[in-house]
């Protein structure tokens, strides 16, 4: 079937209609090309957006909100919830879907900056309590020394980890900070490491401008033993953060005698919701890309079918002659199908390669000019194969009608002299 | 031997029924060279198409050598028998314009799945036989009408068919080239092939062994 004679015929037919074939092939080319570009660009944006979560796709944050809205169980309304470490321990016991429940305190209230002194240099930064578990999902990478560990926390050691910006401001360039001491609100802490936020985003500078100390140390050293700032909850693998959040809020309301309908006594935030929104947005974008590209591809394929119809019409006499000389329907149909497939497959393949090449180029440029907010633009192998298979199938569909017409050519009428 | 008995054929177009062949009885011996004449529209081409398995008939009986050709012969079977037993020569040559003389002659063997080399070898010999041994590489538009028709005859011969069917093979030729073509036909006839030529020209008919005259859908005279 795939013999030289066939290829000769196909070459001849295609070259006889160079412009027409070229335009038709361009339709198919463009469809695949756009599909690759759109999907690649979508993936790049999606990856960029997901990178901002830096793996923190399902952390739940809960804090004390406004005064209560309802009177409940003998408590008047307008009361502000007063919680302490017992709330955390209660959740650790009762909140089944949670993997990690930790409390975070801040020095001097939310985002309040502290005057930090090291030798003759100083600056104002946020000092925040932390836990060994926090580094895991906050996108912090140690660039010097180490992060807070379990012993630091349990023994309430006076140790501190500096954000990279803090280090830059209060140390000489190249100076090794590990083992040195700084003064935070009048108390000496030993520096054990420097961290840097690994996500490239506008938040990273803020993240790098903090000083982290074990939360247990913070609470005892700065007189916050009867108080916790906020709770951070990480669900177990595969458990929905939205569910865990609901359960945690219900448990906390019950524990603190807050009416179940109260919506503001606790503030809460959950990265999963945002993450899901981002994922849904990009899934939508993805679907839209397919829709647009498939539309273009369909137009291209209709073009191929159209051209094949013209070819068959022009070749009626030739087909009739071939039949008279012994060609079977199968061999005639095979020729038409092969011809259409050559156009679609070739044009599609070139489109695919061109699209991927452009994506690669963008990937290189993104790295070279260090543009944040985008991931490497790429399409996965399955998508590429799907596109190609789709192309072949559509190429075949395009030949259904022309091939049928070719097979139905009657040699007598085709060869009639007139 | 080829024999037709009581062959009927009608066409229906625009809901008008046209009864073209009304019981044709005919037998042609192996190796015979016959001509068919008749006025325009008398059904000569129709008869030739039925003989050549390009068309089916309504009823009657058709025997091609040992093979009984039934009225409802399938298209695939017809294609196969045509390829093996019958060679066609048309008034307008019907050479493929983008193939050389050699490739045109070799084409029927392609449908027998014979390799290119063997095909070309036989095509060359046949072109030689019709006097075009020097023209194998020429494209059809580089050949005269008579040369084209000789290429077509070589093509009809390449499958070594039982018979050659020619529908007005000289209809598009002037008298000089007509003679060339008829010379080739007679040579082919000498090799033992059955030849049936449809023609309007008495000169041609006279050069065959027997004349079959069609009139009113029947063989009027032999
Ligand atoms: N496919 C067809 N459909 C309808 N009518 C047809 C068809 N083919 C032939 N006819 C009719 O059948 C009749 C016989 O046609 P045919 O071609 O056999 O005549 P012919 O003897 O070869 O004529 P000519 O000498 O002009 O070639 C004509 O009236 C013609 O119009
Ligand atoms: Mg005729």
């Amino acid at each position: 079937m795939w013999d030289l004679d066939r290829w000769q015929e196909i070459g001849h037919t295609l070259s006889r209609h160079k412009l027409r074939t070229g335009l038709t092939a361009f339709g198919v080319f463009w469809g695949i090309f756009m599909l690759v570009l759109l999907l690649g660009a979508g993936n790049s944006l999606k990856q960029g957006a997901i990178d901002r979560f830096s793996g923190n796709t399902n952390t739940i944050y809960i804090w004390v909100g406004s005064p209560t809205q309802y009177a409940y169980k003998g408590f008047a309304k307008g009361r502000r919830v007063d919680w302490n470490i017992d709330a955390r321990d209660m959740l650790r016991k009762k909140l089944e879907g949670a993997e990690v429940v930790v409390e975070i305190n801040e020095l001097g209230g939310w985002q309040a900056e502290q005057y930090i002194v090291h030798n003759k240099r100083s600056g104002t930064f946020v000092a925040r309590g932390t836990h060994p578990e926090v580094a895991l999902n906050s996108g912090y990478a140690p660039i010097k020394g180490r992060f807070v560990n379990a012993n630091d926390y349990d023994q309430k050691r006076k140790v501190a980890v500096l954000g990279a910006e803090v280090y830059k401001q209060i140390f000489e360039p190249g100076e090794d900070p590990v083992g040195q001491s700084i003064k935070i609100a009048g108390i000496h802490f030993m520096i054990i490491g420097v961290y840097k936020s690994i996500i490239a985003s506008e938040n990273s500078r803020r993240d790098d401008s903090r000083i982290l100390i074990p939360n247990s140390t913070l609470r005892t050293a700065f007189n916050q033993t009867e108080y916790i700032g906020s709770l951070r909850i990480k669900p177990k693998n595969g458990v929905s953060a939205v569910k865990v959040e609901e359960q945690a809020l219900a448990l906390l309301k019950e524990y603190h005698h807050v009416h179940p309908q109260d919506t503001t006594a606790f503030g809460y935030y959950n990265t999963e919701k945002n993450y899901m929104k981002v994922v849904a947005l990009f899934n939508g974008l993805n679907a839209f890309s397919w829709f647009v590209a498939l539309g273009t591809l369909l137009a291209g394929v209709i073009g191929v079918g159209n051209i094949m119809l013209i070819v068959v019409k022009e070749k009626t006499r030739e087909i009739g002659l071939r039949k008279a000389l012994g060609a079977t329907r199968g061999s005639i149909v095979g020729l038409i199908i092969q011809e259409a497939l050559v156009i679609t497959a070739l044009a599609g393949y070139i489109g695919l390669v061109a699209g991927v090449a452009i994506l690669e180029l963008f990937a290189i440029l993104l790295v070279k000019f260090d543009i944040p907010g985008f991931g490497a633009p790429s399409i996965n192998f399955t998508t590429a194969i799907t596109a190609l298979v789709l192309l072949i199938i559509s190429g075949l569909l395009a030949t259904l009608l022309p091939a049928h017409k070719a097979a139905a050519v009657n040699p007598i009428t085709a060869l009639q002299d007139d | 031997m080829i024999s037709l008995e009581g062959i009927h054929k009608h066409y229906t177009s625009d809901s008008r029924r046209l009864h073209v062949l009304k019981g044709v009885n005919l037998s042609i011996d192996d190796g015979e060279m016959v001509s068919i004449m008749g006025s325009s529209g008398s059904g000569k081409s129709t008869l030739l198409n039925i003989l050549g398995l390009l068309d089916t008939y309504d009823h009657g009986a058709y025997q091609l050598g040992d093979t009984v050709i039934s009225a409802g012969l399938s298209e695939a079977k017809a294609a196969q028998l045509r390829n093996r037993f019958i060679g066609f020569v048309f008034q307008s040559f019907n050479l493929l314009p983008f193939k050389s003389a050699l490739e045109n002659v070799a084409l029927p063997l392609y449908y027998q799945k014979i390799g290119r080399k063997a095909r070309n070898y036989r095509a060359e010999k046949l072109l030689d036989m019709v006097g075009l041994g020097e023209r194998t590489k020429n494209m059809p538009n580089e050949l005269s009408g008579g040369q084209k028709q000789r290429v077509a005859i070589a093509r009809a011969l390449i499958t070594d068919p039982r018979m050659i069917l020619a529908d007005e093979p000289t209809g598009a030729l002037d008298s000089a080239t007509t003679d060339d073509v008829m010379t080739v036909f007679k040579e082919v006839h000498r090799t033992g092939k059955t030849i049936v030529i449809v023609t309007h020209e008495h000169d041609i008919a006279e050069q065959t062994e027997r004349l079959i005259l069609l009139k009113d859908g029947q063989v009027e005279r032999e």
Side-chain angles (χ1 to χ4, degrees), chain A residues 76-394:
Chain A
K77 73 174 196 176
R79 172 180 58 102
R80 203 155 190 272
V81 170
D82 182 17
W83 65 354
N84 59 30
I85 200 77
D86 297 342
R88 181 200 74 177
D89 294 338
M90 182 277 296
L91 286 183
R92 281 188 177 174
K93 221 184 296 162
K94 290 192 175 168
L95 190 57
E96 275 164 17
E99 170 96 41
V100 177
V101 182
V102 296
E103 85 292 349
I104 302 285
N105 286 46
E106 307 245 353
L107 209 43
W110 180 247
Q111 304 285 36
E113 298 194 326
Q114 299 299 317
Y115 190 63
I116 311 288
V117 186
H118 166 72
N119 291 344
K120 288 192 179 100
R121 301 174 75 150
S122 63
T124 52
F125 306 99
V126 171
R128 179 178 285 182
T130 194
H131 285 255
E133 293 90 343
V134 168
L136 296 177
N137 61 14
S138 296
Y140 295 157
I143 52 174
K144 282 190 172 68
R146 61 174 179 85
F147 200 72
V148 169
N149 66 22
N151 283 338
D152 297 330
Y153 185 86
D154 292 343
Q155 296 166 21
K156 300 174 185 158
R157 287 178 180 160
K158 291 203 177 68
V159 293
V161 187
L162 307 183
E165 285 295 321
V166 180
Y167 167 74
K168 233 163 71 186
Q169 281 197 36
I170 62 174
F171 280 89
E172 304 291 336
E175 196 179 346
D176 184 6
V178 176
Q180 299 208 41
S181 101
I182 50 164
K183 231 161 137 184
I184 304 172
I187 298 178
H188 281 281
F189 281 77
M190 189 181 79
I191 297 166
I192 55 172
V194 178
Y195 72 87
K196 190 170 169 51
S197 175
I198 51 176
I199 350 155
S201 79
E202 57 267 32
N203 286 344
S204 59
R205 205 186 152 84
R206 199 188 66 199
D207 288 347
D208 290 348
S209 303
R210 289 194 189 118
I211 297 169
L212 301 177
I213 60 181
N215 203 58
S216 55
T217 317
L218 190 152
R219 287 175 57 240
T220 44
F222 296 104
N223 200 24
Q224 293 190 20
T225 45
E226 283 312 305
Y227 168 75
I228 57 171
S230 61
L231 289 172
R232 266 188 214 190
I233 304 168
K234 178 110 182 142
K236 285 183 176 138
N237 249 347
V239 180
S240 149
V242 176
K243 278 260 165 59
V244 174
E245 184 183 69
E246 266 173 32
Q247 287 163 5
L249 285 170
L251 286 168
L252 285 170
K253 284 176 189 170
E254 190 193 300
Y255 190 71
H256 290 287
H257 312 294
V258 174
H259 193 282
Q261 304 286 308
D262 198 315
T263 51
T264 55
F266 289 101
Y268 50 93
Y269 173 75
N270 160 359
T271 51
E272 188 182 69
K273 278 184 208 155
N274 266 8
Y275 181 67
M276 289 309 187
K277 259 187 223 159
V278 166
V279 168
L281 173 71
F282 285 102
N283 285 347
L285 197 66
N286 200 34
F288 180 71
S289 304
W290 276 98
F291 177 74
V292 170
L294 286 187
T296 317
L297 192 60
L298 184 71
V301 164
I302 290 173
V304 173
N306 205 19
I307 227 177
M308 292 316 295
L309 269 181
I310 295 171
V311 165
V312 168
K313 203 171 159 85
E314 278 184 357
K315 279 189 167 186
T316 303
R317 194 179 188 91
E318 178 188 328
I319 293 168
L321 174 74
R322 286 172 183 276
K323 280 190 161 180
L325 298 182
T328 55
R329 263 167 183 261
S331 74
I332 300 285
V333 167
L335 188 64
I336 302 296
I337 288 179
Q338 200 174 333
E339 232 164 73
L341 276 187
V342 164
I343 304 179
T344 38
L346 207 67
Y349 183 73
I350 295 173
L352 193 67
V353 169
V356 169
I358 299 241
L359 290 185
E360 294 285 321
L361 185 72
F362 268 107
I364 291 169
L365 292 179
L366 283 181
V367 172
K368 192 166 177 195
F369 295 104
D370 198 16
I371 302 166
F374 294 93
S378 65
I379 66 165
N380 57 34
F381 191 66
T382 334
T383 313
I385 294 298
T386 310
L388 267 187
V389 169
L390 211 75
L391 193 69
I392 305 288
I393 292 175
S394 45

Side-chain angles (χ1 to χ4, degrees), chain A residues 417, chain B residues 40-41 43-46 91 167-168 198 200:
Chain A
D417 299 310
Chain B
S40 185
K44 305 181 293 295
S45 297
T46 304
Q91 176 176 354
D167 198 346
E168 300 186 41
V198 167
H200 280 292

Side-chain angles (χ1 to χ4, degrees), chain A residues 3 5 317 322 325 417, chain B residues 83 92 94 99 110-111 119:
Chain A
D3 56 344
D5 295 75
R317 194 179 188 91
R322 286 172 183 276
L325 298 182
D417 299 310
Chain B
N83 186 251
S92 51
N94 284 319
K99 283 185 180 289
Y110 170 74
Y111 293 113
R119 294 201 304 258

Side-chain angles (χ1 to χ4, degrees), chain A residues 1 3-6 8-9 12 16 315 317-318 320-329 331-332 407 409-412 414-417, chain B residues 11 49 54-55 75-76 79-80 82-83 86 88 90-99 103-104 107-108 110-111 116 119 155 159 167:
Chain A
M1 173 168 174
D3 56 344
L4 187 64
D5 295 75
R6 280 272 180 97
Q8 234 176 16
E9 310 275 321
H12 176 79
R16 194 160 34 169
K315 279 189 167 186
R317 194 179 188 91
E318 178 188 328
L321 174 74
R322 286 172 183 276
K323 280 190 161 180
L325 298 182
T328 55
R329 263 167 183 261
S331 74
I332 300 285
V409 165
N410 178 349
I412 304 168
L415 290 170
Q416 231 145 37
D417 299 310
Chain B
Y11 292 112
N49 288 338
L54 284 172
D55 209 346
E75 213 190 292
Q80 193 195 353
R82 227 158 33 220
N83 186 251
I86 297 158
F88 291 95
F90 309 91
Q91 176 176 354
S92 51
F93 325 127
N94 284 319
L95 301 179
L96 294 183
F98 50 90
K99 283 185 180 289
E103 289 169 328
N104 266 290
L107 187 61
Y110 170 74
Y111 293 113
R116 179 178 282 255
R119 294 201 304 258
R155 179 179 64 191
T159 56
D167 198 346

Side-chain angles (χ1 to χ4, degrees), chain B residues 102-167:
Chain B
L102 186 79
E103 289 169 328
N104 266 290
V105 174
L107 187 61
L109 292 184
Y110 170 74
Y111 293 113
Q112 290 186 359
K113 311 226 181 318
I114 289 174
R116 179 178 282 255
K117 243 192 165 142
R119 294 201 304 258
N120 288 353
Y121 176 73
R122 277 163 74 177
E124 235 165 287
K125 275 178 68 172
L126 282 168
L127 279 171
D128 223 24
M129 192 199 117
V130 298
L132 292 172
E134 307 287 298
R135 299 294 194 134
T136 56
K137 295 218 160 43
N138 284 64
M139 301 307 273
N141 62 4
E142 298 162 344
L143 298 171
S144 72
Q147 287 170 333
K148 279 186 208 166
Q149 199 58 303
R150 283 187 278 159
V151 171
I153 294 171
R155 179 179 64 191
L157 286 169
I158 197 158
T159 56
D160 196 18
R162 191 181 280 268
M163 64 174 170
I164 304 283
L165 302 178
D167 198 346

